[in-house]
Amino acid sequence: MSWHSIRGHDAVAASLKRSLVRGRFPHALLFVGPEGIGKRTFALKLAQSLLCQRSEEADLDPCEVCPSCLQVKAGNHPDVLQVERPPDRHELPIAVIRDLCLDLGLKPMMGPRKLAIVNDADDLNDEAANAFLKTLEEPPPGSILILIATSAEAQLETILSRCRVVRFDPLPEAELAAVLQEQGVAPDPAEAARLAKLGEGSVSRARGLASREIESFRRDLFDALADPRGFDPSSLAKRVHEFVKDAGKEGVDQRQRASLLMGELARFFRGLLWQTAGLTPPSPDPDDRRAIAALAERLNPEDVFVLADRALEAAYHIERKVYMSVILESLTHDLGALINPRA
Ligand SMILES: [Zn+2]
């Protein structure tokens, strides 16, 4: 059985436990790994373990019923401080970090220590990171900081050198399929297996792709790209933008949908690379493979590399919160130039 039903990260739990037993638990941890694989859930379970009033902290086995465990679970434990990038901001504001450091300096209210969880650590700018350094270097006695990010490479050297880096791997396909079944995203085992393949180790990605709307939009998008008559770049950009806006009023929902689509586009072009190399694309979807084969017939292999790069670049800019309409316009323009039949 996995550590407290958190699938796929038993090795991380075991290694943290060893540090606790030896009395060498780090005061600053940097969790890195792809989005949607359970880093935040893991951090909260760790907070529960370290604050539980009934079990020994080195057991990493919170009782789940003491007042402290219940409050961590409910998200209102006074000694667990959580910050994240506000949905309407591109970066974690310096004021948020300053307040966090001040708060961390106050005495714990309930237990022996305070814990701070910094989500979206990828979005710490130089200024906010600098404001954080002193606390990271020398946190108030007993307190523990957990930074959550997607990659160690994206962090500033000053942050990196003050943290123990803890790597979280994408979930293995079988584990991911099991999670999708447990969470009721895909009760049918065959559907769970298909989504697990598409999810590439990420629960949030697989969940996103489980929607019928996304399923049919990605189909239309790939078919438009593979259409032998070509496509109109600006009307395609408009269609994608409309679909992204339909995700909801909140910027965060729209960006999530846009990232999901860019990820799918990158996957499609990656499949195209396999095809041009004479291999069968790894996509579990036969319609994808058909579209890929049709497109590969009429493209120069060197253009296929450019297409794959271009989709990744657009995904990068969406993550970096560049204006959506600008990204989509320039992306479809470039795709059109590479894919559309030359007049
Ligand atoms: Zn407890």
Side-chain angles (χ1 to χ4, degrees):
M1 196 53 213
S2 329
W3 181 60
H4 287 275
S5 310
I6 299 179
R7 286 178 176 275
H9 307 308
D10 283 356
V12 173
S15 133
L16 292 177
K17 198 168 165 174
R18 280 195 298 276
S19 308
L20 275 169
V21 171
R22 290 187 197 138
R24 287 190 192 161
F25 198 80
H27 58 248
L29 298 150
L30 174 65
F31 285 7
V32 295
E35 295 281 356
I37 59 171
K39 300 186 296 295
R40 192 173 182 157
T41 311
F42 190 102
L44 284 168
K45 192 51 76 180
L46 185 61
Q48 222 180 13
S49 315
L50 296 173
L51 295 171
C52 176
Q53 294 163 332
R54 292 197 186 167
S55 73
E56 286 297 319
E57 62 173 26
D59 290 344
L60 275 194
D61 190 21
C63 74
E64 312 274 350
V65 292
C66 72
S68 177
C69 279
L70 291 176
Q71 279 187 281
V72 175
K73 198 169 186 173
N76 57 15
H77 195 297
D79 298 329
V80 178
L81 315 171
Q82 280 208 75
V83 296
E84 60 189 18
R85 175 176 51 73
D88 58 336
R89 300 292 288 271
H90 297 177
E91 294 173 322
L92 247 170
I94 182 168
V96 169
I97 295 298
R98 279 203 181 121
D99 287 349
L100 178 75
C101 294
L102 281 177
D103 207 346
L104 208 59
L106 303 175
K107 273 210 177 80
M109 312 265 271
M110 279 179 74
R113 61 160 51 102
K114 286 197 171 205
L115 258 118
I117 300 177
V118 179
N119 293 292
D120 306 312
D122 286 347
D123 302 322
L124 277 169
N125 62 15
D126 290 0
E127 213 187 11
N130 279 333
F132 205 12
L133 293 186
K134 202 171 159 301
T135 304
L136 263 187
E137 178 98 39
E138 216 176 322
S143 55
I144 290 173
L145 291 131
I146 303 174
L147 281 66
I148 301 186
T150 56
S151 77
E153 293 74 18
Q155 309 308 310
L156 296 166
E157 178 58 35
T158 45
I159 297 276
L160 204 54
S161 61
R162 287 166 173 82
C163 296
R164 156 121 49 112
V165 177
V166 180
R167 289 179 200 280
F168 285 72
D169 293 327
L171 299 183
E173 249 172 62
E175 296 278 0
L176 179 49
V179 172
L180 296 174
Q181 279 190 278
E182 281 162 13
Q183 296 185 349
V185 178
D188 170 53
E191 176 63 2
R194 187 186 76 91
L195 285 172
K197 209 173 185 62
L198 287 172
E200 295 176 345
S202 159
V203 179
S204 56
R205 186 160 178 77
R207 284 188 84 104
L209 291 169
S211 122
R212 289 277 157 245
E213 261 181 303
I214 298 273
E215 171 78 35
S216 89
F217 191 84
R218 72 189 277 290
R219 176 81 282 121
D220 288 351
L221 179 63
F222 297 164
D223 289 346
L225 293 173
D227 190 329
R229 293 161 302 176
F231 61 90
D232 173 37
S234 50
S235 75
L236 188 64
K238 255 195 212 97
R239 268 172 61 202
V240 176
H241 201 186
E242 286 304 317
F243 182 66
V244 165
K245 282 197 271 186
D246 285 346
K249 279 202 206 81
E250 300 295 327
V252 58
D253 296 326
Q254 298 187 8
R255 222 160 268 286
Q256 235 167 32
R257 179 172 278 189
S259 293
L260 201 63
L261 281 180
M262 291 307 119
E264 285 308 288
L265 207 54
R267 185 211 307 282
F268 184 73
F269 292 138
R270 217 158 57 223
L272 206 52
L273 286 172
W274 283 63
Q275 185 82 34
T276 42
L279 303 164
T280 307
S283 171
D285 190 327
D287 290 329
D288 285 4
R289 293 199 297 272
R290 256 194 298 279
I292 287 169
L295 198 51
E297 284 283 301
R298 55 190 181 83
L299 289 183
N300 295 323
E302 52 273 34
D303 287 348
V304 176
F305 282 95
V306 184
L307 285 168
D309 271 353
R310 203 52 196 82
L312 290 176
E313 194 188 331
Y316 174 87
H317 287 309
I318 281 179
E319 296 280 315
R320 297 292 169 288
K321 338 287 188 247
V322 180
Y323 285 111
M324 191 92 65
S325 54
V326 174
I327 302 172
L328 294 175
E329 277 286 342
S330 87
L331 172 68
T332 56
H333 171 270
D334 293 355
L335 299 189
L338 291 158
I339 292 178
N340 280 340
R342 314 281 199 272

